[in-house]
Coordinates of all heavy atoms in Angstrom, one line a residue:
P192 N 0.8 -1.2 0.0 CA 0.0 0.0 0.0 C 0.8 1.3 0.0 O 0.3 2.4 -0.1 CB -0.8 -0.1 1.3 CG -0.1 -1.1 2.1 CD 0.7 -2.0 1.2
L193 N 2.1 1.2 0.1 CA 3.0 2.4 0.2 C 3.3 3.0 -1.2 O 3.3 4.2 -1.4 CB 4.3 2.1 0.9 CG 4.1 1.7 2.4 CD1 5.5 1.4 3.0 CD2 3.4 2.8 3.1
F194 N 3.4 2.1 -2.2 CA 3.7 2.7 -3.6 C 2.5 2.5 -4.4 O 1.9 1.5 -4.5 CB 4.9 1.9 -4.2 CG 5.3 2.6 -5.5 CD1 6.1 3.7 -5.5 CD2 4.9 2.1 -6.7 CE1 6.5 4.3 -6.6 CE2 5.3 2.7 -7.9 CZ 6.1 3.8 -7.8
P195 N 2.0 3.6 -5.0 CA 0.7 3.7 -5.7 C 0.7 3.1 -7.1 O 0.3 3.8 -8.1 CB 0.4 5.2 -5.7 CG 1.8 5.8 -5.8 CD 2.7 4.9 -5.0
T196 N 1.2 1.9 -7.3 CA 1.2 1.2 -8.6 C -0.1 1.3 -9.4 O -0.1 1.8 -10.5 CB 1.7 -0.2 -8.5 OG1 2.9 -0.3 -7.8 CG2 1.8 -0.9 -9.8
F197 N -1.2 0.8 -8.7 CA -2.4 0.8 -9.4 C -3.0 2.2 -9.6 O -3.7 2.4 -10.6 CB -3.4 -0.2 -8.7 CG -2.9 -1.6 -8.7 CD1 -2.5 -2.2 -7.5 CD2 -2.9 -2.3 -9.8 CE1 -2.1 -3.5 -7.5 CE2 -2.4 -3.6 -9.9 CZ -2.0 -4.2 -8.7
A198 N -2.8 3.1 -8.7 CA -3.2 4.4 -8.8 C -2.6 5.1 -10.0 O -3.2 5.8 -10.8 CB -3.0 5.2 -7.5
I199 N -1.3 4.9 -10.2 CA -0.6 5.5 -11.3 C -1.2 4.9 -12.6 O -1.4 5.7 -13.6 CB 0.9 5.1 -11.3 CG1 1.6 5.9 -10.1 CG2 1.6 5.5 -12.6 CD1 3.0 5.5 -9.8
I200 N -1.4 3.6 -12.7 CA -2.1 3.1 -13.9 C -3.4 3.7 -14.1 O -3.7 4.1 -15.3 CB -2.1 1.5 -13.8 CG1 -0.7 0.9 -13.7 CG2 -3.0 0.9 -14.9 CD1 -0.7 -0.5 -13.3
A201 N -4.2 3.7 -13.1 CA -5.6 4.3 -13.2 C -5.5 5.8 -13.6 O -6.3 6.2 -14.5 CB -6.4 4.1 -11.9
H202 N -4.6 6.5 -13.0 CA -4.5 8.0 -13.3 C -4.0 8.2 -14.8 O -4.4 9.1 -15.4 CB -3.6 8.7 -12.3 CG -4.2 8.7 -11.0 ND1 -3.5 8.8 -9.8 CD2 -5.5 8.7 -10.6 CE1 -4.3 8.8 -8.8 NE2 -5.5 8.7 -9.2
Y203 N -3.1 7.3 -15.2 CA -2.7 7.4 -16.6 C -3.8 7.2 -17.6 O -4.0 7.9 -18.5 CB -1.5 6.4 -16.9 CG -1.1 6.5 -18.3 CD1 -0.2 7.5 -18.7 CD2 -1.6 5.6 -19.3 CE1 0.2 7.6 -20.0 CE2 -1.2 5.7 -20.6 CZ -0.3 6.7 -21.0 OH 0.1 6.8 -22.3
I204 N -4.6 6.2 -17.3 CA -5.7 5.9 -18.2 C -6.7 7.0 -18.2 O -7.2 7.5 -19.2 CB -6.4 4.5 -17.8 CG1 -5.5 3.4 -18.1 CG2 -7.7 4.3 -18.5 CD1 -5.9 2.0 -17.4
V205 N -7.1 7.5 -17.0 CA -8.1 8.6 -16.9 C -7.5 9.8 -17.6 O -8.1 10.5 -18.3 CB -8.5 8.9 -15.4 CG1 -9.3 10.2 -15.3 CG2 -9.3 7.7 -14.9
G206 N -6.2 10.1 -17.3 CA -5.6 11.3 -17.8 C -5.4 11.3 -19.3 O -5.4 12.4 -20.0
S207 N -5.2 10.1 -19.9 CA -5.0 10.1 -21.3 C -6.3 9.9 -22.1 O -6.4 10.2 -23.3 CB -4.1 8.9 -21.7 OG -4.7 7.7 -21.3
E208 N -7.4 9.5 -21.5 CA -8.7 9.3 -22.2 C -9.8 10.3 -21.8 O -10.8 10.4 -22.5 CB -9.2 7.9 -21.9 CG -8.3 6.8 -22.4 CD -8.8 5.4 -22.1 OE1 -9.9 5.3 -21.5 OE2 -8.1 4.5 -22.5
R209 N -9.6 11.1 -20.7 CA -10.6 12.0 -20.3 C -10.0 13.4 -20.1 O -8.9 13.6 -20.3 CB -11.2 11.5 -19.0 CG -11.6 10.0 -19.0 CD -13.0 9.6 -19.2 NE -14.0 10.4 -18.7 CZ -15.0 10.0 -17.9 NH1 -14.9 8.8 -17.4 NH2 -15.9 10.8 -17.6
L210 N -10.9 14.3 -19.6 CA -10.4 15.7 -19.3 C -9.6 15.8 -18.0 O -9.7 14.9 -17.2 CB -11.7 16.5 -19.2 CG -12.6 16.6 -20.4 CD1 -13.9 17.4 -20.0 CD2 -11.9 17.3 -21.6
A211 N -8.9 16.9 -17.9 CA -8.1 17.1 -16.7 C -9.0 17.2 -15.5 O -8.6 16.8 -14.4 CB -7.2 18.4 -16.9
S212 N -10.2 17.7 -15.7 CA -11.1 17.8 -14.5 C -11.5 16.4 -14.0 O -11.7 16.2 -12.8 CB -12.3 18.6 -14.9 OG -13.0 18.0 -16.0
D213 N -11.5 15.4 -14.9 CA -11.8 14.0 -14.5 C -10.7 13.4 -13.8 O -10.9 12.7 -12.8 CB -12.2 13.2 -15.8 CG -13.5 13.6 -16.4 OD1 -14.4 14.1 -15.8 OD2 -13.5 13.4 -17.7
L214 N -9.5 13.7 -14.2 CA -8.3 13.3 -13.5 C -8.3 13.9 -12.1 O -8.0 13.2 -11.1 CB -7.0 13.6 -14.2 CG -5.7 13.2 -13.5 CD1 -5.6 11.7 -13.3 CD2 -4.5 13.7 -14.4
R215 N -8.6 15.1 -12.0 CA -8.7 15.8 -10.7 C -9.7 15.2 -9.8 O -9.4 14.9 -8.6 CB -9.0 17.3 -10.9 CG -9.0 18.1 -9.6 CD -9.3 19.6 -9.9 NE -9.2 20.4 -8.7 CZ -10.2 20.5 -7.8 NH1 -11.4 20.0 -8.1 NH2 -10.1 21.3 -6.7
S216 N -10.9 14.9 -10.3 CA -11.9 14.2 -9.5 C -11.5 12.8 -9.1 O -11.8 12.4 -7.9 CB -13.2 14.1 -10.3 OG -13.8 15.4 -10.6
T217 N -10.8 12.1 -9.9 CA -10.3 10.8 -9.6 C -9.3 10.9 -8.4 O -9.3 10.1 -7.5 CB -9.6 10.2 -10.8 OG1 -10.6 10.1 -11.9 CG2 -9.1 8.8 -10.5
A218 N -8.4 11.9 -8.5 CA -7.4 12.1 -7.4 C -8.1 12.5 -6.1 O -7.8 12.0 -5.0 CB -6.4 13.1 -7.8
I219 N -9.1 13.3 -6.2 CA -9.9 13.7 -5.0 C -10.6 12.5 -4.4 O -10.5 12.3 -3.1 CB -10.9 14.8 -5.3 CG1 -10.1 16.1 -5.6 CG2 -11.8 15.1 -4.1 CD1 -11.0 17.2 -6.1
F220 N -11.2 11.7 -5.2 CA -11.8 10.5 -4.7 C -10.8 9.6 -4.0 O -11.1 8.9 -3.0 CB -12.6 9.7 -5.8 CG -13.3 8.6 -5.2 CD1 -14.6 8.7 -4.6 CD2 -12.8 7.3 -5.3 CE1 -15.3 7.6 -4.1 CE2 -13.5 6.2 -4.8 CZ -14.7 6.4 -4.2
G221 N -9.6 9.5 -4.6 CA -8.5 8.7 -4.0 C -8.2 9.1 -2.6 O -7.9 8.3 -1.7
L222 N -8.2 10.5 -2.4 CA -7.9 11.0 -1.1 C -9.0 10.6 -0.1 O -8.7 10.1 1.0 CB -7.8 12.5 -1.1 CG -6.5 13.0 -1.8 CD1 -6.6 14.5 -2.0 CD2 -5.3 12.7 -0.9
W223 N -10.2 10.7 -0.5 CA -11.4 10.4 0.3 C -11.4 8.9 0.6 O -11.9 8.4 1.6 CB -12.7 10.8 -0.3 CG -12.9 12.3 -0.1 CD1 -12.8 13.3 -1.0 CD2 -13.3 12.9 1.1 NE1 -13.1 14.5 -0.4 CE2 -13.4 14.3 0.9 CE3 -13.7 12.5 2.4 CZ2 -13.8 15.2 1.8 CZ3 -14.0 13.4 3.4 CH2 -14.1 14.7 3.1
S224 N -10.9 8.1 -0.4 CA -10.9 6.6 -0.2 C -10.0 6.1 0.9 O -10.0 5.0 1.3 CB -10.6 5.9 -1.5 OG -9.3 6.1 -1.8
L225 N -9.1 7.0 1.4 CA -8.3 6.7 2.5 C -9.1 6.5 3.8 O -8.6 5.8 4.7 CB -7.2 7.7 2.7 CG -6.2 7.8 1.5 CD1 -5.3 9.0 1.8 CD2 -5.4 6.6 1.4
L226 N -10.2 7.1 3.9 CA -11.0 7.0 5.1 C -11.5 5.6 5.4 O -11.4 5.1 6.6 CB -12.2 7.9 5.0 CG -11.9 9.4 5.1 CD1 -13.2 10.3 4.9 CD2 -11.2 9.8 6.4
P227 N -12.0 4.8 4.4 CA -12.3 3.4 4.8 C -11.1 2.6 5.2 O -11.2 1.7 6.1 CB -12.9 2.9 3.5 CG -13.5 4.1 2.8 CD -12.5 5.2 3.1
Y228 N -10.0 2.8 4.6 CA -8.8 2.1 5.0 C -8.4 2.5 6.4 O -8.0 1.6 7.2 CB -7.7 2.4 4.0 CG -6.4 1.6 4.2 CD1 -6.5 0.2 4.2 CD2 -5.2 2.2 4.4 CE1 -5.3 -0.6 4.4 CE2 -4.0 1.4 4.7 CZ -4.1 0.1 4.7 OH -3.0 -0.7 4.9
A229 N -8.5 3.8 6.7 CA -8.2 4.2 8.1 C -9.2 3.6 9.1 O -8.7 3.2 10.2 CB -8.2 5.7 8.2
A230 N -10.4 3.5 8.7 CA -11.4 2.8 9.6 C -11.0 1.4 9.8 O -11.1 0.8 11.0 CB -12.8 2.9 9.0
Y231 N -10.6 0.7 8.8 CA -10.1 -0.7 8.9 C -8.9 -0.8 9.9 O -9.0 -1.6 10.8 CB -9.8 -1.3 7.5 CG -9.0 -2.6 7.6 CD1 -9.7 -3.7 7.8 CD2 -7.6 -2.6 7.5 CE1 -9.0 -4.9 7.9 CE2 -6.9 -3.8 7.5 CZ -7.6 -5.0 7.8 OH -7.0 -6.2 7.9
L232 N -7.9 0.0 9.6 CA -6.7 0.0 10.5 C -7.0 0.3 11.9 O -6.5 -0.3 12.9 CB -5.6 0.9 9.9 CG -5.0 0.4 8.6 CD1 -4.0 1.5 8.1 CD2 -4.4 -0.9 8.7
F233 N -7.9 1.3 12.1 CA -8.3 1.7 13.5 C -9.0 0.6 14.2 O -8.7 0.3 15.4 CB -9.1 3.0 13.4 CG -9.3 3.7 14.7 CD1 -8.3 4.2 15.4 CD2 -10.6 3.7 15.2 CE1 -8.5 4.8 16.7 CE2 -10.9 4.3 16.5 CZ -9.8 4.9 17.2
S234 N -9.9 -0.1 13.4 CA -10.6 -1.2 14.0 C -9.6 -2.3 14.4 O -9.7 -2.9 15.5 CB -11.6 -1.8 13.0 OG -12.5 -0.9 12.7
I235 N -8.6 -2.6 13.6 CA -7.6 -3.6 13.9 C -6.9 -3.2 15.2 O -6.7 -4.1 16.1 CB -6.6 -3.8 12.7 CG1 -7.4 -4.3 11.5 CG2 -5.5 -4.8 13.1 CD1 -8.2 -5.5 11.6
V236 N -6.5 -2.0 15.3 CA -5.7 -1.5 16.5 C -6.6 -1.7 17.7 O -6.1 -2.2 18.8 CB -5.3 0.0 16.3 CG1 -4.8 0.5 17.6 CG2 -4.3 0.1 15.2
L237 N -7.9 -1.3 17.7 CA -8.7 -1.4 18.8 C -9.1 -2.8 19.2 O -9.3 -3.1 20.4 CB -10.0 -0.6 18.6 CG -9.8 0.9 18.6 CD1 -11.1 1.6 18.3 CD2 -9.2 1.4 19.9
L238 N -9.4 -3.6 18.2 CA -9.9 -5.0 18.4 C -8.9 -6.1 18.6 O -9.3 -7.2 19.1 CB -10.9 -5.3 17.3 CG -12.1 -4.3 17.1 CD1 -12.8 -4.7 15.8 CD2 -13.0 -4.2 18.3
S239 N -7.7 -5.9 18.2 CA -6.7 -7.0 18.1 C -6.4 -7.6 19.4 O -6.0 -8.8 19.5 CB -5.4 -6.5 17.4 OG -4.8 -5.5 18.1
E240 N -6.5 -6.8 20.5 CA -6.2 -7.4 21.8 C -7.4 -7.9 22.5 O -7.3 -8.5 23.6 CB -5.5 -6.4 22.7 CG -4.1 -6.0 22.1 CD -3.4 -5.0 23.0 OE1 -4.0 -4.5 23.9 OE2 -2.2 -4.9 22.7
R241 N -8.6 -7.8 21.9 CA -9.8 -8.2 22.6 C -10.5 -9.4 22.0 O -11.2 -10.2 22.6 CB -10.9 -7.1 22.6 CG -10.4 -5.9 23.3 CD -11.5 -4.8 23.3 NE -11.0 -3.6 23.8 CZ -11.4 -2.4 23.6 NH1 -12.4 -2.2 22.8 NH2 -10.9 -1.4 24.1
F242 N -10.2 -9.7 20.7 CA -10.8 -10.7 19.9 C -9.8 -11.6 19.2 O -8.6 -11.2 19.1 CB -11.8 -10.1 18.9 CG -12.9 -9.4 19.5 CD1 -12.9 -8.0 19.4 CD2 -14.0 -10.0 20.0 CE1 -13.9 -7.2 20.0 CE2 -15.1 -9.2 20.6 CZ -15.0 -7.9 20.6
T243 N -10.3 -12.7 18.7 CA -9.4 -13.6 17.9 C -9.1 -12.9 16.6 O -9.7 -11.9 16.2 CB -10.1 -14.9 17.6 OG1 -11.2 -14.7 16.8 CG2 -10.5 -15.7 18.9
L244 N -8.1 -13.4 15.9 CA -7.6 -12.9 14.7 C -8.8 -12.8 13.7 O -9.0 -11.8 13.0 CB -6.5 -13.6 14.1 CG -6.0 -13.2 12.7 CD1 -5.5 -11.7 12.8 CD2 -4.9 -14.1 12.3
T245 N -9.5 -13.9 13.6 CA -10.6 -14.0 12.6 C -11.7 -13.0 12.9 O -12.2 -12.3 12.0 CB -11.2 -15.5 12.6 OG1 -10.2 -16.4 12.3 CG2 -12.3 -15.6 11.6
V246 N -12.1 -12.9 14.1 CA -13.1 -11.9 14.5 C -12.6 -10.5 14.2 O -13.3 -9.6 13.7 CB -13.5 -12.1 16.0 CG1 -14.4 -11.0 16.4 CG2 -14.2 -13.4 16.1
T247 N -11.4 -10.2 14.6 CA -10.8 -8.9 14.4 C -10.8 -8.5 12.9 O -11.2 -7.4 12.6 CB -9.3 -8.8 15.0 OG1 -9.4 -9.1 16.4 CG2 -8.7 -7.5 14.7
L248 N -10.3 -9.4 12.1 CA -10.2 -9.1 10.7 C -11.6 -9.0 10.0 O -11.9 -8.1 9.2 CB -9.4 -10.2 9.9 CG -7.9 -10.3 10.3 CD1 -7.3 -11.4 9.6 CD2 -7.2 -8.9 10.0
T249 N -12.6 -9.8 10.5 CA -13.9 -9.7 10.0 C -14.6 -8.4 10.4 O -15.2 -7.7 9.6 CB -14.8 -10.9 10.6 OG1 -14.2 -12.1 10.1 CG2 -16.2 -10.8 10.1
L250 N -14.4 -8.0 11.6 CA -14.9 -6.7 12.1 C -14.2 -5.5 11.4 O -14.9 -4.5 11.1 CB -14.9 -6.6 13.6 CG -15.8 -7.5 14.4 CD1 -15.5 -7.4 15.9 CD2 -17.2 -7.2 14.1
G251 N -12.9 -5.7 11.1 CA -12.2 -4.6 10.4 C -12.7 -4.5 9.0 O -12.9 -3.4 8.5
A252 N -13.0 -5.6 8.4 CA -13.5 -5.6 7.0 C -14.9 -5.0 7.0 O -15.3 -4.3 6.1 CB -13.6 -7.0 6.4
L253 N -15.7 -5.3 8.0 CA -17.0 -4.7 8.1 C -17.0 -3.2 8.3 O -17.7 -2.5 7.7 CB -17.8 -5.3 9.3 CG -19.2 -4.8 9.6 CD1 -20.1 -5.1 8.4 CD2 -19.8 -5.5 10.8
A254 N -16.0 -2.7 9.1 CA -15.8 -1.3 9.3 C -15.4 -0.7 8.0 O -15.9 0.4 7.6 CB -14.7 -1.0 10.3
W255 N -14.6 -1.3 7.2 CA -14.2 -0.8 5.9 C -15.4 -0.7 4.9 O -15.6 0.2 4.3 CB -13.1 -1.7 5.2 CG -12.7 -1.2 3.9 CD1 -11.6 -0.4 3.6 CD2 -13.3 -1.5 2.6 NE1 -11.6 -0.1 2.3 CE2 -12.6 -0.8 1.6 CE3 -14.4 -2.2 2.2 CZ2 -12.9 -0.8 0.3 CZ3 -14.7 -2.2 0.9 CH2 -14.0 -1.5 -0.1
T256 N -16.2 -1.8 4.9 CA -17.4 -1.9 4.1 C -18.4 -0.8 4.4 O -18.9 -0.1 3.5 CB -18.1 -3.3 4.2 OG1 -17.1 -4.3 3.9 CG2 -19.3 -3.4 3.3
L257 N -18.7 -0.6 5.7 CA -19.6 0.5 6.1 C -19.1 1.8 5.8 O -19.9 2.7 5.2 CB -19.9 0.3 7.6 CG -20.7 -0.9 8.0 CD1 -20.8 -1.0 9.5 CD2 -22.0 -0.9 7.4
T258 N -17.8 2.1 6.0 CA -17.3 3.4 5.7 C -17.2 3.6 4.2 O -17.5 4.7 3.7 CB -15.8 3.5 6.3 OG1 -15.9 3.1 7.7 CG2 -15.3 4.9 6.2
A259 N -16.9 2.6 3.4 CA -16.9 2.7 2.0 C -18.3 3.0 1.4 O -18.4 3.8 0.5 CB -16.3 1.5 1.3
A260 N -19.3 2.3 2.0 CA -20.6 2.5 1.5 C -21.1 4.0 1.8 O -21.7 4.6 1.0 CB -21.6 1.5 2.2
M261 N -20.7 4.5 3.0 CA -21.1 5.9 3.3 C -20.3 6.8 2.4 O -20.9 7.8 1.9 CB -20.7 6.2 4.8 CG -21.6 5.5 5.8 SD -21.4 6.0 7.5 CE -19.7 5.6 7.8
L262 N -19.1 6.6 2.1 CA -18.3 7.4 1.2 C -19.0 7.4 -0.2 O -19.1 8.5 -0.8 CB -16.9 6.9 1.1 CG -16.0 7.5 0.0 CD1 -15.8 9.0 0.3 CD2 -14.7 6.8 -0.1
L263 N -19.3 6.3 -0.7 CA -19.9 6.2 -2.1 C -21.3 6.9 -2.1 O -21.6 7.6 -3.1 CB -20.1 4.7 -2.5 CG -18.8 4.0 -2.9 CD1 -19.0 2.6 -3.1 CD2 -18.1 4.7 -4.1
T264 N -22.0 6.8 -1.0 CA -23.3 7.5 -0.9 C -23.2 9.0 -1.0 O -23.8 9.7 -1.8 CB -24.1 7.0 0.3 OG1 -24.3 5.6 0.3 CG2 -25.4 7.8 0.5
V265 N -22.2 9.5 -0.2 CA -22.0 10.9 -0.2 C -21.4 11.4 -1.5 O -21.8 12.4 -2.0 CB -21.1 11.3 1.0 CG1 -20.6 12.7 0.9 CG2 -21.8 11.0 2.3
W266 N -20.4 10.6 -2.0 CA -19.8 11.0 -3.3 C -20.8 11.1 -4.4 O -20.7 12.1 -5.2 CB -18.7 10.0 -3.6 CG -17.9 10.4 -4.8 CD1 -18.1 10.0 -6.1 CD2 -16.8 11.3 -4.8 NE1 -17.2 10.6 -6.9 CE2 -16.4 11.4 -6.2 CE3 -16.1 12.0 -3.9 CZ2 -15.3 12.2 -6.6 CZ3 -15.1 12.8 -4.3 CH2 -14.7 12.9 -5.6
T267 N -21.7 10.2 -4.5 CA -22.6 10.2 -5.7 C -23.6 11.4 -5.5 O -24.2 11.8 -6.5 CB -23.4 8.9 -5.8 OG1 -24.0 8.6 -4.6 CG2 -22.4 7.7 -6.2
R268 N -23.8 11.9 -4.3 CA -24.7 13.0 -4.2 C -23.9 14.3 -4.4 O -24.5 15.3 -4.9 CB -25.3 13.0 -2.8 CG -26.3 11.9 -2.6 CD -26.9 11.8 -1.3 NE -27.7 10.6 -1.2 CZ -28.5 10.3 -0.2 NH1 -28.5 11.1 0.8 NH2 -29.2 9.2 -0.2
V269 N -22.7 14.4 -4.1 CA -21.9 15.6 -4.2 C -21.4 15.7 -5.7 O -21.3 16.8 -6.2 CB -20.7 15.6 -3.2 CG1 -19.8 16.8 -3.5 CG2 -21.2 15.7 -1.8
Y270 N -21.0 14.6 -6.3 CA -20.5 14.5 -7.6 C -21.3 13.6 -8.5 O -20.9 12.6 -8.9 CB -19.0 14.0 -7.7 CG -18.0 14.9 -7.0 CD1 -17.6 14.7 -5.7 CD2 -17.5 16.0 -7.7 CE1 -16.7 15.6 -5.1 CE2 -16.5 16.8 -7.1 CZ -16.2 16.6 -5.8 OH -15.3 17.5 -5.2
P271 N -22.6 14.1 -8.8 CA -23.4 13.2 -9.6 C -22.9 13.1 -11.1 O -22.2 14.0 -11.6 CB -24.8 13.9 -9.6 CG -24.5 15.3 -9.3 CD -23.2 15.3 -8.5
I272 N -23.1 12.0 -11.7 CA -22.7 11.8 -13.1 C -23.6 12.7 -14.0 O -24.8 12.6 -13.9 CB -22.8 10.3 -13.5 CG1 -21.8 9.5 -12.6 CG2 -22.5 10.1 -15.0 CD1 -22.0 8.0 -12.8
A273 N -22.9 13.5 -14.8 CA -23.7 14.4 -15.7 C -24.2 13.7 -16.9 O -23.7 12.7 -17.4 CB -22.8 15.5 -16.1

């Protein structure tokens, strides 16, 4: 997760096939997409000493899923497809 290999590929495709404003929107969404990952990691930190590994990872994935769903809901209302 430290080197943005897939982000570079995605940004190249968007940047070469779409407008600069679309590339900008893609980058902004990428920044916001860090929130679900942060929710996952925060869950792991909090739950790892209380639950088994399987339960901890499951709850972490659930935290990611819920946060990602909220992000997508808000994003589609703020940036509707024209």
Side-chain angles (χ1 to χ4, degrees):
L193 296 178
F194 189 78
T196 304
F197 296 112
I199 290 170
I200 294 167
H202 292 152
Y203 178 81
I204 292 169
V205 171
S207 64
E208 296 180 1
R209 313 263 324 239
L210 299 173
S212 60
D213 294 330
L214 178 58
R215 183 177 183 274
S216 293
T217 302
I219 291 170
F220 185 80
L222 288 170
W223 282 103
S224 72
L225 295 173
L226 292 175
Y228 186 57
Y231 167 78
L232 291 177
F233 191 65
S234 298
I235 299 304
V236 169
L237 291 178
L238 302 173
S239 62
E240 293 184 349
R241 297 182 189 156
F242 297 102
T243 64
L244 177 61
T245 303
V246 171
T247 298
L248 295 177
T249 301
L250 292 173
L253 180 61
W255 182 93
T256 302
L257 293 173
T258 309
M261 288 187 301
L262 171 63
L263 288 173
T264 300
V265 170
W266 184 264
T267 56
R268 291 180 185 184
V269 174
Y270 293 97
I272 297 174

